Amino acid sequence: MSYREVDYDYDDEGGLIDPVKLLTVCFALGVWLVWQRYHSLLNRAIYFKLAPPIQIRDTWTANRLPQPSIEAHLTFNDLLPSFPLPDRKYITAYDPATAYHLDTILADSPAEIEHKILEAHRAQKRWAATSFDDRRRVMRSLKKWLVDNQEVCAKMACRDTGKTMLDAALGEIITTCSKLDWLINHGERALSPESRYNNLIMFYKSSSVHYEPLGVVAAITSWNYPLHNAWSPIIAGLFAGNSVVLKCSEHVIWSTTWFVQAIKECLKACGHDEQLVQLVCCYPDDAEAVTKSHLVRHITFIGSERVGRLVAQAATEHLTPVTLELGGKDPAIILPSTDIEKWISLLMRGVYQNAGQNCIGIERILVHESQYEEFFRLFTERADKLRPGHSLKSPGDSVAPAADVGAMVSGERFPGLEHAIHEAVDMGAVLSVGGEPWHHPYLEQGSYFKPTVLGEVNPECSVAQHELFAPIACIMKYETIEQAIEIANGTRYGLGASVFGPVRDDCMKVAKRLQCGMVAINDFGVFYVSQDLPFGGTKYSGYGRFGGPEGLRALTNTKAIVVDRWGWAIQTSIPAVLDYPVRSVTQSWEFISGMVGFLYADAWGTRIDALTKMMRASGR
């Protein structure tokens, strides 16, 4: 068989890859890989370690305080150091679930607080010049450490507050990881300069908004979530380029000291100054050293309305801006025909998580009269099976204790809670479960309150009007949607809310009419897990927001900058008719009024007439 020459292609048209193109592609790929490698190394988490304290070990034991209190050392001198400093204050740290004495800690004096703020101020100047890559690396290192040490961190929170390990995982670990993740992935976008639109008179200008570090920012936080309440304002403040001074609740100074030290170790490992973060340990009486400091440029406060007012008042000394989160009385409205059994577990979690010590916990449940009896029965049955107790093993425990609801941080509020419950019963409420402190079989000094269910609650009684911050369910009956909305909006608070129902549009209609800062539909509290959302409320729940772009930008100085778009061609100049000294008041007014008409009149005919008037006044 023979083949013709035409069957062969000797010209090699397209037969081989052009070597120049191949080398170009390989070079570009190599450059890309080197850049990716460099970027990966630049952002890779840095390992650091921090030894856990012995107080969370299974074998650890200590003296039980017969009268647990942060001032127990004033009654029992053996709780003080061997050589206590004269005229200085101390704080007794203890486990409210067991009454174990954890430590007695020296409180900072006003002079020491001022020194800490000054140290933070000095460290911030260099930190403000860091790149977002530098800050992301710190956040990524903290997140890796937290995930790797989540059990230790949960035990720390349990030991200092008496909560359960599950509550610590949900309220401390997941929320903090979520915030770190958001800062890593979206923080730079929130703080990057933004272009803004110009109007016709400014067509030749380019406008932008820049978010610059403030300097030293402070946070004064509550005790209910010691890890998250400490880390959340610190990591936000650091990412915004600030240094941070944290004044935590004196009830959780033991665990917060360790949590803050972790951030300091991370900063050192990443090559930054650990003085960027300062922890203030003091009683509220000495907190004015923070709130009245001229170096503090922003304050975030999380706590009670009473203390929040004092903080806001003190901050006026130097007109320091304040974000206030003062708690709430969050309602959950269950619309008619809702599948109660489907959602009752979420409602139980909303009421009893963290022993009810949750600023966005469900404090009121509003049920339509057609489903009230069924709901009250199911909720009572579930609540009656809840087991109070603690999560950490003690010497002699063969297994970790089983508990659904942990201790409250202190038993000081128990008489007030009992009084409010009795008042509600006197006003017609039905007490089906709990209503009093719970006495642990062998931890007699533990601060436990029985999971409580109150039905037929009068909307005007104390338990329906004031934040309880306790494991107490207040179940209320309504006849119409209008009445439910009126009851839900009928308190001084306006933080969060939940709406449950079978039809999404109906839920949305109700949600939009609620006087609050956040609403979850067919859910509870998820607006906080999503850290891209602002967190905060209205009315007596405070003002300002933390979380999301709004909260991050609140920790910056918002600066508007306007520059010439085509400076080589056109810039602002003062027309001769308007220049000082003004040569003619009448002529200058004709010019300005003509310009206003040209720029802003509705009809084009009017604009043309105004332009003619302006040109005539200018002498052209």
Side-chain angles (χ1 to χ4, degrees):
M1 184 178 182
S2 63
Y3 298 89
R4 296 178 299 171
E5 281 192 28
V6 74
D7 292 329
Y8 295 90
D9 184 0
Y10 293 102
D11 294 335
D12 192 33
E13 295 179 2
L16 292 175
I17 298 176
D18 186 343
V20 176
K21 292 181 179 178
L22 180 60
L23 287 173
T24 302
V25 171
C26 290
F27 178 76
L29 181 61
V31 170
W32 183 81
L33 289 173
V34 169
W35 169 252
Q36 288 296 314
R37 176 66 175 170
Y38 169 75
H39 195 70
S40 175
L41 291 173
L42 193 66
N43 289 278
R44 183 174 296 174
I46 299 297
Y47 172 79
F48 66 95
K49 60 182 180 179
L50 180 64
I54 61 172
Q55 288 92 331
I56 63 171
R57 295 178 185 172
D58 293 345
T59 57
W60 179 78
T61 188
N63 294 327
R64 289 182 184 160
L65 302 180
Q67 299 175 24
S69 164
I70 59 174
E71 294 185 326
H73 57 277
L74 299 179
T75 304
F76 306 98
N77 290 332
D78 58 325
L79 299 177
L80 288 167
S82 300
F83 300 99
L85 297 177
D87 301 322
R88 292 296 298 273
K89 297 178 182 179
Y90 288 83
I91 297 173
T92 301
Y94 66 94
D95 177 356
T98 63
Y100 284 153
H101 176 231
L102 300 175
D103 198 2
T104 301
I105 301 169
L106 178 67
D108 293 327
S109 66
E112 288 171 332
I113 296 172
E114 290 177 10
H115 177 72
K116 288 184 174 182
I117 296 173
L118 183 59
E119 287 292 303
H121 174 70
R122 290 169 177 165
Q124 188 271 339
K125 297 182 182 300
R126 186 175 178 185
W127 175 253
T130 56
S131 66
F132 284 119
D133 281 337
D134 294 329
R135 299 174 197 175
R136 257 193 302 269
R137 192 173 205 180
V138 173
M139 301 301 125
R140 187 171 281 111
S141 301
L142 286 171
K143 188 178 76 166
K144 175 175 171 51
W145 181 87
L146 180 55
V147 172
D148 292 345
N149 295 273
Q150 57 182 296
E151 184 175 359
V152 174
C153 292
K155 286 183 176 180
M156 288 291 298
C158 290
R159 182 61 80 193
D160 211 12
T161 65
K163 68 180 62 185
T164 66
M165 287 288 286
L166 179 58
D167 285 343
L170 292 171
E172 309 272 15
I173 309 299
I174 290 179
T175 51
T176 307
C177 285
S178 178
K179 181 145 194 170
L180 284 164
D181 220 34
W182 184 84
L183 289 170
I184 293 167
N185 295 322
H186 306 291
E188 181 177 0
R189 172 181 54 81
L191 296 180
S192 294
E194 291 182 331
S195 295
R196 295 295 174 92
Y197 296 106
N198 285 326
N199 52 21
L200 181 59
I201 197 173
M202 298 283 287
F203 77 94
Y204 62 98
K205 296 288 186 179
S206 176
S207 303
S208 59
V209 177
H210 297 250
Y211 303 96
E212 300 177 344
L214 284 172
V216 181
V217 297
I220 302 174
T221 59
S222 59
W223 40 259
N224 53 335
Y225 290 106
L227 166 62
H228 184 70
N229 287 349
W231 274 35
S232 178
I234 289 176
I235 59 180
L238 288 176
F239 198 88
N242 304 303
S243 56
V244 185
V245 175
L246 173 72
K247 192 280 176 199
C248 69
S249 167
E250 55 276 14
H251 285 278
V252 291
I253 186 62
W254 176 78
S255 61
T256 304
T257 300
W258 191 78
F259 292 138
V260 171
Q261 187 59 39
I263 296 181
K264 286 176 169 285
E265 294 296 329
C266 179
L267 288 168
K268 284 195 297 182
C270 293
H272 304 294
D273 193 344
E274 65 175 311
Q275 300 302 324
L276 281 165
V277 177
Q278 298 289 336
L279 175 62
V280 169
C281 168
C282 70
Y283 287 94
D285 294 346
D286 296 318
E288 283 194 348
V290 176
T291 56
K292 290 189 174 184
S293 171
H294 70 283
L295 294 177
V296 172
R297 302 312 309 142
H298 184 277
I299 300 171
T300 299
F301 175 79
I302 304 173
S304 69
E305 177 192 331
R306 181 185 66 82
V307 179
R309 288 176 179 273
L310 296 175
V311 170
Q313 184 177 1
T316 62
E317 180 90 1
H318 298 287
L319 297 180
T320 306
V322 181
T323 294
L324 295 178
E325 193 272 272
L326 307 178
K329 192 68 182 172
D330 289 13
I333 300 177
I334 302 177
L335 299 182
S337 303
T338 298
D339 187 344
I340 292 174
E341 294 189 5
K342 179 180 179 180
W343 302 117
I344 196 165
S345 293
L346 267 175
L347 292 160
M348 290 281 293
R349 174 61 57 184
V351 172
Y352 298 116
Q353 180 168 309
N354 210 43
Q357 300 164 121
N358 192 355
C359 56
I360 53 172
I362 295 175
E363 295 236 350
R364 296 174 294 158
I365 303 177
L366 282 61
V367 188
H368 188 258
E369 59 182 355
S370 63
Q371 295 180 291
Y372 175 83
E373 296 299 334
E374 179 189 5
F375 180 86
F376 184 68
R377 176 183 59 79
L378 290 173
F379 203 91
T380 297
E381 291 174 357
R382 292 283 297 271
D384 195 36
K385 296 175 182 177
L386 296 179
R387 300 161 296 180
H390 68 117
S391 285
L392 301 185
K393 288 178 64 175
S394 300
D397 290 338
S398 56
V399 295
D404 299 306
V405 180
M408 295 182 66
V409 79
S410 168
E412 295 178 358
R413 294 195 301 117
F414 287 0
L417 292 175
E418 290 185 274
H419 175 77
I421 291 170
H422 293 154
E423 178 197 70
V425 172
D426 290 342
M427 294 180 67
V430 176
L431 175 64
S432 60
V433 175
E436 61 186 3
W438 181 76
H439 300 288
H440 196 283
Y442 58 89
L443 299 172
E444 297 86 356
Q445 300 303 324
S447 302
Y448 299 98
F449 200 87
K450 287 183 179 179
T452 299
V453 178
L454 282 167
E456 299 283 0
V457 174
N458 187 321
E460 302 303 321
C461 70
S462 181
V463 296
Q465 287 293 317
H466 299 101
E467 184 178 41
L468 299 176
F469 228 55
I472 299 174
C474 296
I475 305 176
M476 311 164 79
K477 184 190 299 183
Y478 70 88
E479 297 178 359
T480 65
I481 302 297
E482 287 296 323
Q483 184 186 22
I485 294 171
E486 182 180 351
I487 294 172
N489 292 334
T491 73
R492 62 195 287 131
Y493 301 100
L495 187 57
S498 296
V499 180
F500 292 85
V503 181
R504 176 179 170 178
D505 288 347
D506 292 344
C507 294
M508 284 291 294
K509 290 176 183 177
V510 173
K512 291 177 180 179
R513 297 181 61 188
L514 297 179
Q515 298 169 2
C516 59
M518 304 159 293
V519 183
I521 292 178
N522 287 331
D523 216 324
F524 145 71
V526 289
F527 36 71
Y528 193 64
V529 180
S530 175
Q531 285 292 318
D532 201 40
L533 296 174
F535 184 91
T538 185
K539 299 197 292 188
Y540 285 79
S541 288
Y543 50 77
R545 295 293 186 269
F546 58 85
E550 295 83 355
L552 197 57
R553 291 170 180 173
L555 302 174
T556 65
N557 173 48
T558 303
K559 180 181 289 184
I561 299 179
V562 182
V563 300
D564 291 315
R565 192 185 300 271
W566 309 291
W568 53 270
I570 181 171
Q571 292 180 312
T572 300
S573 61
I574 303 297
V577 70
L578 301 180
D579 203 5
Y580 289 131
V582 178
R583 63 192 185 193
S584 169
V585 174
T586 302
Q587 193 175 2
S588 63
W589 171 255
E590 289 293 310
F591 181 89
I592 287 294
S593 63
M595 185 173 68
V596 171
F598 172 67
L599 293 172
Y600 302 113
D602 285 339
W604 276 107
T606 306
R607 289 193 176 197
I608 293 172
D609 291 342
L611 178 61
T612 303
K613 177 182 177 182
M614 184 176 67
M615 294 178 66
R616 187 168 53 247
S618 67
R620 296 181 181 179

